[in-house]
Structure formats: C-alpha cells, structure tokens
Amino acid sequence: MRGCELTAYMFVWDRYRLLELPWDSAWTWWIVFLGVDFCYYWVHRLAHEVSFIWAAHQVHHSSEYYNLTTALRQSLTQQFTSWIFYLPMALIAPPAVFAVHIQLNLLYQFWIHTELIKNLGPLEWVFNTPTHHKVHHGRNSYCIDKNYGGILIIWDRLFGTFTAEKEKVVFGLVSPINTFEILYVQLHYYLYLGRRSTTFKSIGDKCLTFINGPSWKPGKPRLGDHLDNPKLTGQEVPHYPNWSLPLQMYVIIHFLLALGTYQDVFDNKMTLSQFNMLGMTGYVLLTITSMGFLVDQRPRASVLEMLRCVLMATMQRYGYMKPLLPTLAVTTQAFVSLSLLYWALRSFSQMFSIRKKTD
C-alpha cells in the first residue's frame, strides 16, 4: 500500500500538478512539512469520525497502556484509505520531498507515546507532545475525538478539537476488547459494524452505520453523543491474564524465533519464491495468533500450538527456519522438539478428559 500511495502520488504529480516547487529550496521543504501535517490532521480526524475508517484505526487505540509499544500497535487495513488524503499535495510538492516528510511525520509520533515525559512548557502551544497525545488515547468522555495533530497541535487549536489533560486518563477503547488474539484485534470492529447495520430497517441507516461516527444512532447527530458509553470510575485496570512465568518465558522465546524468521523473510524477499514468501509469512502470522491464544489461555490453544510446532519443526528440517545464532542451532532444534512433545501430550490429555466427561 505504501507503493500504491507513492505511485498514485507520482501519477497526479506527472499529469496534474499546478506548479512545481523546486526540491532544493528550503521554502519547499517547510511548505511540504506543513502540508503533510495538515493532511495528517484530517486523515486522523476522519479515522475517528467515519466508522469504517475507525474500524481500522481502533487497533492503535486498543492498548490499555500508553508507552512506546503502543506506537507500534498499527492497523493492517488503515493504509487502504489514508493515502488518498495526501494526493492534493501532489499538485505542488515533488514526490521525493513528500516521501521524506510522510516518514518524518510518522517517526515523530513514536516518541510521544509515553507517560514519562511531562509538560514541555512553551512547546506545548505549538507541538504535539506526550501530554497532548496522552489525552487523545484516553477513553474518558472529555478525551474522545480530541488532539488529532501529528507533529503540530496548532491544527487542533484552529479547528476546535484541542483539549488539555483535566483528570486521570484511562487508556484504551470505550469498550475494551480484553484479548491478545491479533486477528480479532485487527478485524473485530468490521464484524461489529456488519452486525450493527442489520439491526436497522432502512437502507439509509444501514449505510450511515459505516459512514457516520462510531457512536451514531438514528435520530442522533452524525458523530453521536457518547451518552451510551460505559461510565468510568477511575479505578479501571488494564486487562492482564493470570498466566505463569514459565508460559511467559515460552511465549517470549517463540516470539523471538518468529521475529528471526520475519527478519529472514525481509532480508531475502527479492530472492524467495512466492510460495516460500507466503508460507513463511503465514507461519509468522500463525505464530503470533497462537501466542495470543496462549496468553488468553483459550481452550484450543494447546491444539493450535501443537500444529504450529509441527509446522515449525518441518521448516527447520528443510532449512526454511534459521536459529537466531548459528551456535544455537542444536539448542533451537531441541527446544522446538520439546515444545512439540509437550503440546502434543497436553492436547491428547485434554481430548481424553473431554471424552471421560462425555462418557
């Protein structure tokens, strides 16, 4: 989708540009900086005010913590729509300058996902800071649909969407998802919108379910009024399953092994066949899905993890999976074999216990 964004941008630039700002002028870089940030404000605002775009963006807000890992909790589908809003920049801004600023805008927003940095004094008037973005991630009523800025907070001050921190911020979605299953986190809101639209009789209301705000209902304003949102007590705690330390260590080690496979795919993507690329990508997705099942302690987690370990052992056997370090090759193979044996025994044990109960 990044390729789609840049290709579409270059298409508009080549055929429809109104003027050609010189790429080596400092004025060009400053103008594009402001233009990209302005476009981001509206991309971000509409991601909160249009339900089918919010279905993608809610992934980023689903964390009940506010730290640097929250910045990395990104949507699988948001890039399908966000690139469209930057196309007006192609009327004046060279693609190379735009490409730099779109990345700069994204990278800037990484560091503001933290509670460790407090008030930055006069910088708070102009820049989006951790204190401003902290409010944006809150599910308190005063935090909802506020502080959309990327690098600059001036757009929120200009368009009336700015608010300062007033009381303790409770992070996460209005209705917490309480799961670590990645596919559910990514896609559940699309399913919710589909179910919700079926509760309305008129075709117009069914369509408005996807176009209006997440809190909208027939008879309410376009963005809804948030009156039906769960009330906060200030005593809310993040969802944290009670799982053992050995299981935590197991998940961490297997996540690191999957991360190594991902890095291997990334390094060799130009030489791998489509079959190998899709197979290794599928393995990575299966791994983090299975890890989510284990963290949530789902009843079927044992069977899924056993099947994943079978696939993992097969990939090791045929050289599609490398150890994190060459010196750990034998240790990694042994660890995978033990993992497979453990989950196989546990799966069969669960099957026998279910049969005994039914008998």
Side-chain angles (χ1 to χ4, degrees), residues 47 71 73 77 82 93-94 121 136 159 168 178-179 183 186 191 197 237 247 256 276 279 292 312 339 344 353:
R73 185 181 282 240
T77 57
S82 61
H136 176 73
F159 297 113
K168 179 186 175 183
N178 295 334
T179 183
L183 293 179
Q186 290 281 349
L191 301 176
S197 68
V237 294
L247 184 58
L256 291 175
N276 289 343
M312 192 178 183
S339 298
S353 64

Side-chain angles (χ1 to χ4, degrees), residues 74-279:
Q74 294 294 322
S75 168
L76 178 71
T77 57
Q78 188 165 355
Q79 291 186 64
F80 295 157
T81 55
S82 61
W83 62 275
I84 299 171
F85 296 91
Y86 294 103
L87 288 183
M89 291 295 300
L91 299 176
I92 61 170
V97 181
F98 168 77
V100 170
H101 279 290
I102 197 71
Q103 293 299 318
L104 174 65
N105 195 277
L106 178 65
L107 290 172
Y108 175 89
Q109 294 179 58
F110 175 72
W111 77 275
I112 61 177
H113 290 83
T114 179
E115 294 187 82
L116 297 178
I117 299 174
K118 307 303 180 183
N119 192 290
L120 295 178
L123 295 178
E124 302 276 339
W125 284 94
V126 179
F127 292 99
N128 189 18
T129 63
T131 54
H132 293 329
H133 202 60
K134 175 183 177 183
V135 171
H136 176 73
H137 273 263
R139 53 187 166 113
N140 312 59
S141 57
Y142 82 92
C143 297
I144 296 175
D145 298 339
K146 299 294 182 181
N147 298 5
Y148 296 117
I151 296 179
L152 302 175
I153 202 67
I154 58 174
W155 313 119
D156 289 285
R157 296 186 186 276
L158 285 172
F159 297 113
T161 54
F162 173 78
T163 192
E165 184 178 355
K166 300 174 183 177
E167 60 191 49
K168 179 186 175 183
V169 177
V170 180
F171 302 111
L173 299 173
V174 167
S175 299
I177 51 175
N178 295 334
T179 183
F180 292 95
E181 184 188 341
I182 61 160
L183 293 179
Y184 181 84
V185 174
Q186 290 281 349
L187 303 175
H188 76 98
Y189 204 84
Y190 291 104
L191 301 176
Y192 165 75
L193 288 177
R195 292 193 302 269
R196 190 163 177 255
S197 68
T198 61
T199 63
F200 302 133
K201 294 182 178 180
S202 73
I203 295 178
D205 286 343
K206 291 179 185 294
C207 293
L208 289 175
T209 303
F210 297 90
I211 299 172
N212 283 346
S215 296
W216 175 83
K217 290 181 179 179
K220 289 191 175 184
R222 184 179 71 85
L223 300 181
D225 52 21
H226 310 304
L227 293 178
D228 297 328
N229 292 351
K231 304 301 180 184
L232 300 181
T233 64
Q235 305 300 315
E236 288 78 10
V237 294
H239 171 64
Y240 189 83
N242 183 24
W243 54 321
S244 65
L245 181 60
L247 184 58
Q248 292 180 39
M249 296 303 299
Y250 176 88
V251 167
I252 290 172
I253 293 171
H254 276 275
F255 177 77
L256 291 175
L257 292 173
L259 196 61
T261 302
Y262 169 80
Q263 186 62 39
D264 190 41
V265 172
F266 190 79
D267 290 340
N268 299 288
K269 60 182 181 293
M270 302 304 295
T271 58
L272 289 173
S273 67
Q274 284 188 335
F275 178 79
N276 289 343
M277 176 74 78
L278 291 173

